[in-house]
Amino acid sequence: MNIVGIGIDAVNVERFGKTAEKRGKEFLSKIFTAQELDYAGNKRGYYMHMAGKFAAKEAVKKALPNGSVIGLNWFNIEILNSEDGKPYVVLHGEAKKLMKKFNLSQIFVSISHTKDIAASNALVVKDCT
């Protein structure tokens, strides 16, 4: 397995929450899929969780070859969670095409947050076989 890219991003939770409140639900629906919004909908610290997903999308974008250059749509990178809460990445559209173009095999993502900061890193790998 070869590492192709690493990305990291951090988001100020308070600033993210204030922006979301100021711009309303339309702001969040331009960035997140319904499934992403549903996951955080019942959780305490809603904006903390959404800021974490936002940071993860940015980290994935940075880790993908040409991801930052081509300006991926927010919906091209979806951050979902397994039943045990572990985040994982589902790609759509242009991001999915990048995976095929560069013969990439997997993206690992991790999210961490406090009440103040949400941070994420992403690792893109390629099989050597």
Side-chain angles (χ1 to χ4, degrees):
M1 193 173 346
N2 286 337
I3 295 173
V4 175
I6 299 170
I8 187 167
D9 196 64
V11 175
N12 179 295
V13 173
E14 182 179 359
R15 183 174 172 212
F16 182 86
K18 284 181 179 180
T19 301
E21 287 177 5
K22 181 179 177 182
R23 295 189 183 174
K25 288 186 178 187
E26 187 177 303
F27 169 74
L28 294 174
S29 64
K30 286 182 178 181
I31 299 170
F32 302 105
T33 65
Q35 206 168 354
E36 289 171 316
L37 291 168
D38 285 346
Y39 176 78
N42 297 326
K43 295 197 172 294
R44 225 173 89 223
Y46 177 78
Y47 290 127
M48 179 181 69
H49 288 282
M50 297 316 297
K53 288 187 180 293
F54 183 82
K57 287 177 181 248
E58 280 288 322
V60 169
K61 185 177 174 180
K62 292 171 183 176
L64 284 170
N66 296 340
S68 297
V69 177
I70 65 170
L72 296 173
N73 180 302
W74 292 116
F75 292 113
N76 290 166
I77 302 167
E78 188 174 27
I79 309 298
L80 301 177
N81 297 80
S82 63
E83 286 185 22
D84 63 356
K86 185 176 179 179
Y88 65 93
V89 180
V90 177
L91 299 180
H92 307 281
E94 292 301 314
K96 192 172 185 175
K97 289 178 187 176
L98 282 178
M99 286 291 284
K100 289 180 183 178
K101 177 181 177 181
F102 290 98
N103 199 27
L104 306 175
S105 56
Q106 198 167 1
I107 299 175
F108 297 96
V109 67
S110 179
I111 302 170
S112 183
H113 36 64
T114 67
K115 66 180 185 75
D116 300 317
I117 299 291
S120 179
N121 61 3
L123 179 71
V124 176
V125 297
K126 180 181 196 175
D127 281 336
C128 298
T129 57

